Amino acid sequence: MSEPTCARLSAREAVAAVTGSFTEHRPPERPVPPDGPLGWSGYAESRARASERTGEEESVLYGTGVVDGRECVLVAFEFGFLGGSLGSRTGDRLEAAYALAGERRLPLVSLVATGGSRMQEGMIALIQLQRVARASTRLRAQGLAQIAVLRDPTTGGGWATVGAGSDVVLALPGAQIGFAGSRVRPAGADPYAYTAEGQLAAGHIDAVVTPEELPGTLGRWLAALTLTGPAQAAPVPGALSATGLPATGWEAVEQARAAARPRAEAYLDAYFEDRLPLSGDRCGGRDPGLLCGVGLHAGRPVAYAAQCGTATRPAGYRTAARVIRLADRLGLPVLTLVDTPGAANDAEAERAGAGAAIAEVFAAVAGARVPVTTLVIGEGGSGGALALAAPDNTHVTADSYFSVIAPELAAAILKRGPDEVRSTAGQLRLRPQDLVELGIARSVVGPADAPGG
C-alpha cells in the first residue's frame, strides 16, 4: 500500500486544526490494576512510555469547542498512545463525551485515528464497543447529530462504532480505513478497498475532504444538521422552464423526456444557497442517479433526495431512505425531486434487493414525522418514482408526468401494438393537470420567477 497523503497529527494537533477554542473535559478517574484487568505483564510500563511520548494519559481526549462559529463536543484519538486503541479507560472517556453532548444539546464531532481494541485488556477492551454503541444510540435518540472525521488509520472497532456509526462520515485523503487493520488483512487483498477513496467509491463514507477544507466543511455540516424550532415544510421549488401544459398524454411524455428539460442538479442549485452531499447506502453501493444530502434554503436546513432522470438503482433507494430517516431524527424537513422512468429492473438490481430497497423508501416517507415536500420534475415512472413522493404534498411541473407504468409497457401488458402506445398514454391520464384533478398532485407549479412561483 502506498503511503497515505494525510499527516498523522496528534490528538491535540487534530483539534487545533479545526478549532482555536477547546475546553478539555475529563471523566472521574477510577482505579484499575497497574497491569490492567488481565494482569498483562509490562502493560503498566507500556502505558507509561506512551504517556511520556505523547503527553497524554489515554488514547482519547474530549471536550467542547467551536468549529467555524458552531459549538460542538469534540473527541480526538491519539494514535501515538498505543495505536489509538480502545481500552476500559478509553471507553470511560468516549461514554462521557457522548453524555456531555447530550447534556449540552450539542452535536458530536469525532476525529478518529485508531488501530482497534487494546490487546493487553483482552475482552474487557472489546466490550468497550458495546459501551460506545449504547452511548451513540442514546445520543441519536436525543436528536443530536454525530459527525466523524476519519484520520489515518481508522480500523477495527473504532471504525465499526465511532466512525461508521456516525450520521456523516468524512475522511482525509489517503487515510487507511477498514475493519481489518493492516496486520490482519488477507494476503493479496486489494489495498484500494482499505483507503478513504475506496470506501467512498463503495458507498461507506460521504466525502473525502482535504485538511485545508476540513474546518469549513465541518462548520457547514454543523449548520446544516442543526434546526432551531419545529420543522416547517420545505417550500415547493418553482419550475425552471416555461413549458405549457400538454394537450395529450403522449405530449406530456414527450415533454418529460425532452433532453433539454431542466434536471435535478439545476433544481438543487437554484433552490439551495449551500448543499452538502450524503453519499452511499452503507451497504457497498452508490447510485449517481440519485442525489442526496442536506442544504440551506433561505438559511434553514432541508434534507433532499433527488432523482436525476435515470432508472434508480437499489443503492439509490437505500441512500434516500437513510437520508429521510436522518432528517426525521434531527427534525429537518425533506424535499424530494421525482424524475425516473422507473426502478432499475436488470438482474443486477434484483440481486441487489430492488424490492427491499424500494420498500425502505416507502416506509421512510410513510413514517416520517417531519414534513416531506415532493416536486415531480420529469418522468414519474411507476412505484420506482412513487416511493419518493409525499402522499399529501406532491406537486408537479408542466413538463412532467406520473403514471402507473410507462405507456409503452402499459400497452405491452394490455397486449396492444406499438401503434396504440399514444392512445394508451391518454387513457392513463398521466398529464400534470390530470394528476391534480385526480387528487394525486396538489398543484402544477409555475416558473420560479412567476408571481406566486
Side-chain angles (χ1 to χ4, degrees):
M1 177 179 293
S2 61
E3 285 298 314
T5 60
C6 54
R8 284 185 176 173
L9 301 179
S10 70
R12 294 187 189 275
E13 288 172 335
V15 169
V18 299
T19 178
S21 171
F22 178 69
T23 303
E24 187 174 359
H25 289 244
R26 295 170 181 265
E29 290 291 343
R30 58 185 178 89
V32 295
D35 278 329
L38 305 186
W40 189 284
S41 179
Y43 180 36
E45 288 80 1
S46 295
R47 285 182 54 88
R49 287 193 299 271
S51 182
E52 182 179 359
R53 182 170 58 250
T54 63
E56 303 295 343
E57 299 173 0
E58 240 322 319
S59 59
V60 161
L61 60 89
Y62 74 98
T64 56
V66 177
V67 177
D68 201 30
R70 299 279 174 169
E71 190 177 6
C72 62
V73 170
L74 280 163
V75 169
F77 282 71
E78 176 52 70
F79 189 76
F81 192 103
L82 301 180
S85 58
L86 279 70
S88 59
R89 283 184 170 173
T90 321
D92 292 343
R93 294 188 173 209
L94 289 172
E95 190 173 55
Y98 284 94
L100 178 63
E103 292 164 5
R104 300 284 181 91
R105 300 294 303 168
L106 293 173
L108 179 77
V109 176
S110 299
L111 309 174
V112 189
T114 174
S117 299
R118 192 169 299 170
M119 297 299 100
Q120 296 93 329
E121 295 190 20
M123 279 300 297
I124 298 300
L126 191 64
I127 63 172
Q128 302 310 306
L129 306 184
Q130 295 174 324
R131 293 180 70 188
V132 173
R134 183 169 58 243
S136 175
T137 300
R138 288 172 179 163
L139 194 61
R140 187 173 291 115
Q142 292 176 266
L144 296 167
Q146 300 173 45
I147 303 173
V149 178
L150 311 182
R151 297 152 55 212
D152 182 63
T154 298
T155 61
W159 162 229
T161 51
V162 181
S166 294
D167 302 313
V168 177
V169 184
L170 311 175
L172 297 180
Q176 299 176 66
I177 301 168
F179 188 64
S182 59
R183 298 182 183 181
V184 296
R185 295 169 192 163
D190 178 11
Y192 182 70
Y194 302 91
T195 64
E197 292 74 14
Q199 295 286 0
L200 176 64
H204 298 306
I205 65 176
D206 293 302
V208 175
V209 183
T210 66
E212 295 76 20
E213 297 171 324
L214 185 58
T217 300
L218 282 175
R220 291 167 63 205
W221 268 117
L222 290 169
L225 297 180
T226 305
L227 179 65
T228 56
Q232 300 176 349
V236 183
L240 294 185
S241 68
T243 303
L245 287 171
T248 67
W250 186 246
E251 184 181 337
V253 173
E254 288 185 315
Q255 289 187 172
R257 292 177 179 175
R261 173 182 56 77
R263 305 288 166 148
E265 191 89 42
Y267 273 92
L268 294 174
D269 285 344
Y271 190 80
F272 290 112
E273 302 103 52
D274 186 25
R275 58 187 174 97
L276 293 149
L278 288 165
S279 175
D281 63 358
R282 300 296 186 263
C283 298
R286 295 175 70 195
D287 180 1
L290 205 156
L291 303 177
C292 293
V294 180
L296 294 179
H297 174 77
R300 293 178 64 81
V302 176
Y304 63 86
Q307 292 170 316
C308 298
T310 57
T312 304
R313 306 204 65 80
Y317 290 116
R318 282 191 288 264
T319 305
R322 170 194 162 210
V323 171
I324 294 167
R325 289 192 296 262
L326 173 62
D328 189 53
R329 182 165 57 75
L330 298 181
L332 306 181
V334 177
L335 171 69
T336 63
L337 300 180
V338 169
D339 183 12
T340 181
N345 58 7
D346 52 54
E348 181 184 350
E350 293 297 341
R351 284 193 292 267
I358 295 169
E360 275 194 61
V361 183
F362 270 118
V365 172
R369 295 159 296 179
V370 295
V372 180
T373 300
T374 298
L375 180 62
V376 185
I377 62 171
E379 293 194 78
S382 193
L386 187 66
L388 270 80
D392 56 355
N393 195 20
T394 289
H395 306 260
V396 292
T397 63
D399 49 359
S400 71
Y401 78 84
F402 218 140
S403 177
V404 63
I405 201 168
E408 297 91 339
L409 299 178
I413 290 171
L414 296 171
K415 299 182 180 179
R416 296 178 176 180
D419 58 332
E420 296 183 87
V421 169
R422 294 185 176 216
S423 61
T424 300
Q427 288 180 290
L428 288 169
R429 298 197 64 192
L430 47 71
R431 301 177 304 168
Q433 59 266 46
D434 295 328
L435 298 170
V436 174
E437 185 177 333
L438 292 168
I440 305 301
R442 290 179 60 176
S443 73
V444 179
V445 303
D449 56 356

